[in-house]
Amino acid sequence: MKRNLNPFYSVFILLSLVFVWSCNDDDDITEIVDPSLENLEIQDFIWGGLNLYYLWQPNVANLADNRFNSESEYVEFLSSEPVPEDFFESLLFQRGVIDRDSWIVDDYVELENSFVGISKSNGVDFGLARISDVSNDILGYVRYIMPNSDATGKDIRRGDLFTQVNGTQLTIDNYRDLLFSEDDTYMLSLASVENGALVPNGRSVQLTKFEYNENPILIRKTFNEGGKRIGYLMYNSFSGGYDTEMNAAFADFKSEGITDLILDLRYNGGGFGYVAQYLGSMVTGQFTGEIFSKDKWNPKIQAEFEAFDEELLIERFPGKLRNGDDIVSLNLNQVHVIVTGRSASASELIIAALKPYIGVTTIGSKTYGKYTGSVTLYDSENFTKDNVNPNHFYAMQPIVLEYTNSVGENGRDGYDPDIERNENITDLGVLGDRNEPLLSTTINNITGAAAKFDDSKIPVFELISNSKLFTPMADRLIIDKPEFQQALKGLRKKIK
């Protein structure tokens, strides 16, 4: 939600900006700021944050430290694009090709809620696919229903297909407006596959979005097969705030004496890096204190960290949660991970980090290929929430680092599965059921049972999008390390 700015405060900020720059450069103040340019304090925040933190800052000419010769030239540049979101986009490096994942929001409260799994949702997690390569029509398919949500108990379940919203056919051009608009209530018209054709089946369901807190642990269970005790965890986001729940899930696994573990990350687009570290230690435990991953920032930040404390560039397998509880570890030497093209960021980080230490077998389809991390920047002197500018609620989540594992590798191009098995969106099966195709394939691999599938019979659809991509947590690796702020304190002012 956008908030209006106080024009007087904006002018004050701009005049202060001109004065500070003039004192630094020993110039006289010659520019009178136009009072109508009330958004420039947001533009100043955007430029300053990207100039300091952005991973590809050296590659963007307009972010160069010597880009501006005077305060008036800087103010003129800030006023060149009045819409903050457009100004932000104009400063990114090869948007959609190199930088696919930086973003900006106009309400950081909503952003912070999303980090702990809170967002508006009707409880239907779904994917979208093109019906055919000669049509712009698309269909939706339900991936799962969130517990205790608006959809719970209604006539809709995993595997259901829908083609219309409020009586209008979904297309490439309208699905954003129909499914992700400000209107919280809509009607889905469901369809079925009959004789190879997609036809309406007469069912419909009305859904309403409410503020919802999604627990990322959707399923935890144990299978006893082939002399193995196999733990299964379907984990859908590396959200903050669920550390003790995840620790408790692994305590249950440990008490059950599991010999093998399946992590189902097929719909997990990422989240906090420190949560991935917890999960890595829960799977193992014998590598506490060893290198989990290493970070590489832009040259300015990298130099500051190297001078302050090089340990800030290294993430290690932890032995405790942030609340001081001991991490429950399984001490495994092998893990099986179910993945798809929607497994990204922190999901790929856990694969990369474990590979140098234990066997990691991936089952499913190729992962997304996200090898970078971001931090939340606020409009304050140090880009933290301390003394944040009260005049607006903008915050940024720019890409600031590239991660590698302990041997310098990452999933830059995505991870090809060791065992390929594609999801059939017209026959998804029941999550957590022994016969669900991807889970069945994984259990068979663990127990040595013969494979019983033929991917050639799965119809091929072009996947377009999914409901998680319209949340701030989509495909993100978020860096939340308090020690960073101490090292960078005052750096904004020093560089500028």
Side-chain angles (χ1 to χ4, degrees):
M1 182 175 70
K2 291 182 182 293
R3 271 89 166 177
N4 292 325
L5 302 178
N6 181 321
F8 175 80
Y9 184 80
S10 299
V11 174
F12 173 78
I13 290 290
L14 286 174
L15 289 172
S16 299
L17 170 67
V18 172
F19 175 75
V20 170
W21 202 306
S22 299
C23 289
N24 286 344
D25 293 344
D26 297 324
D27 292 334
D28 294 328
I29 298 176
T30 58
E31 187 74 13
I32 298 177
V33 178
D34 183 349
S36 69
L37 300 176
E38 62 179 24
N39 266 347
L40 288 196
E41 60 179 329
I42 303 176
Q43 324 299 56
D44 175 52
F45 155 60
I46 292 171
W47 190 89
L50 294 179
N51 165 264
L52 177 57
Y53 275 94
Y54 190 45
L55 177 61
W56 296 288
Q57 183 264 345
N59 302 96
V60 181
N62 281 332
L63 290 176
D65 293 342
N66 60 356
R67 168 64 177 81
F68 307 104
N69 295 314
S70 67
E71 71 279 353
S72 59
E73 186 179 349
Y74 178 64
V75 171
E76 181 180 2
F77 179 77
L78 296 184
S79 63
S80 64
E81 178 47 72
V83 179
E85 289 82 356
D86 293 341
F87 184 72
F88 175 81
E89 290 290 329
S90 74
L91 295 172
L92 302 183
F93 180 55
Q94 295 187 29
R95 181 58 148 172
V97 179
I98 301 298
D99 186 352
R100 298 176 292 174
D101 299 293
S102 295
W103 83 100
I104 188 171
V105 297
D106 60 12
D107 187 347
Y108 55 70
V109 175
E110 182 179 344
L111 177 69
E112 292 163 351
N113 284 340
S114 75
F115 290 162
V116 292
I118 302 173
S119 62
K120 273 196 169 184
S121 174
N122 54 37
V124 179
D125 181 278
F126 58 83
L128 298 167
R130 191 188 295 266
I131 292 176
S132 74
D133 56 6
V134 294
S135 171
N136 282 332
D137 290 349
I138 64 177
L139 64 87
Y141 59 99
V142 179
R143 303 192 301 186
Y144 64 93
I145 301 297
M146 301 173 194
N148 304 313
S149 67
D150 180 64
T152 303
K154 293 187 175 180
D155 188 19
I156 188 166
R157 62 193 62 85
R158 172 174 167 82
D160 279 343
L161 307 176
F162 58 91
T163 55
Q164 295 183 356
V165 177
N166 296 330
T168 301
Q169 171 64 48
L170 283 166
T171 69
I172 292 292
D173 299 319
N174 69 16
Y175 76 85
R176 292 176 178 83
D177 292 332
L178 292 176
L179 291 168
F180 305 105
S181 70
E182 295 297 319
D183 189 354
D184 290 333
T185 298
Y186 54 66
M187 181 80 71
L188 297 182
S189 298
L190 306 185
S192 302
V193 177
E194 297 180 7
N195 299 319
L198 191 66
V199 296
N201 61 20
R203 291 168 53 206
S204 62
V205 59
Q206 180 169 297
L207 300 161
T208 300
K209 298 176 184 177
F210 297 98
E211 190 171 271
Y212 180 77
N213 196 338
E214 182 180 3
N215 188 328
I217 303 171
L218 185 66
I219 302 171
R220 189 214 70 84
K221 63 191 306 184
T222 298
F223 298 90
N224 297 308
E225 293 204 24
K228 304 276 191 177
R229 293 181 68 82
I230 304 168
Y232 171 73
L233 182 72
M234 184 161 199
Y235 188 62
N236 288 331
S237 174
F238 289 82
S239 302
Y242 291 91
D243 308 339
T244 56
E245 286 88 344
M246 186 163 66
N247 212 30
F250 275 79
D252 290 339
F253 283 144
K254 189 166 186 175
S255 69
E256 293 163 359
I258 70 164
T259 58
D260 297 86
L261 177 67
I262 301 170
L263 293 178
D264 192 339
L265 306 179
R266 73 181 78 185
Y267 305 137
N268 192 322
F272 284 106
Y274 76 88
V275 180
Q277 291 173 254
Y278 289 162
L279 181 56
S281 286
M282 291 173 189
V283 172
T284 59
Q286 62 270 45
F287 307 111
T288 300
E290 297 294 323
I291 294 175
F292 181 83
S293 63
K294 296 182 287 188
D295 304 329
K296 182 178 180 180
W297 300 65
N298 72 37
K300 287 191 293 192
I301 300 295
Q302 188 80 6
E304 289 292 323
F305 282 155
E306 289 175 353
F308 186 85
D309 183 359
E310 288 191 346
E311 187 65 24
L312 288 172
L313 300 169
I314 297 173
E315 315 301 332
R316 298 186 183 274
F317 285 90
K320 292 181 179 293
L321 303 178
R322 287 186 173 181
N323 67 3
D325 290 349
D326 290 334
I327 288 176
V328 178
S329 300
L330 300 179
N331 294 288
L332 297 177
N333 291 309
Q334 173 72 40
V335 65
H336 287 69
V337 186
I338 296 176
V339 295
T340 66
R342 296 277 35 104
S343 305
S345 190
S347 289
E348 293 172 302
L349 171 60
I350 191 71
I351 295 170
L354 290 177
K355 274 182 172 291
Y357 297 97
I358 66 172
V360 180
T361 301
T362 52
I363 301 93
S365 49
K366 186 173 183 176
T367 65
Y368 179 73
K370 172 83 187 310
Y371 60 98
T372 53
S374 64
V375 295
T376 306
L377 302 183
Y378 299 90
D379 189 5
S380 69
E381 182 64 26
N382 295 312
F383 295 110
T384 70
K385 205 173 178 182
D386 294 339
N387 299 314
V388 67
N389 183 352
N391 245 35
H392 67 83
F393 286 78
Y394 273 86
M396 294 188 292
Q397 201 76 32
I399 296 299
V400 298
L401 62 81
E402 174 181 354
Y403 74 79
T404 66
N405 62 16
S406 61
V407 294
E409 299 171 346
N410 58 32
R412 175 184 291 265
D413 300 316
Y415 286 103
D416 290 314
D418 298 303
I419 302 171
E420 187 168 7
R421 179 93 197 254
N422 296 310
E423 278 201 310
N424 180 355
I425 68 174
T426 62
D427 186 18
L428 286 173
V430 178
L431 289 173
D433 184 88
R434 172 63 176 85
N435 296 313
E436 188 275 312
L438 269 65
L439 178 55
S440 175
T441 300
T442 307
I443 292 176
N444 289 343
N445 178 258
I446 292 172
T447 61
K452 301 176 182 178
F453 63 87
D454 182 0
D455 266 6
S456 66
K457 296 180 180 179
I458 296 179
V460 178
F461 291 90
E462 180 188 353
L463 302 185
I464 301 299
S465 188
N466 66 78
S467 53
K468 274 191 167 59
L469 290 180
F470 287 81
T471 67
M473 287 289 281
D475 298 342
R476 316 298 188 193
L477 174 60
I478 301 162
I479 308 304
D480 179 25
K481 193 171 182 179
E483 298 92 332
F484 286 160
Q485 299 309 327
Q486 179 62 30
L488 297 175
K489 190 175 181 180
L491 189 56
R492 176 186 187 181
K493 184 175 181 181
K494 184 175 88 171
I495 287 179
K496 215 170 154 184

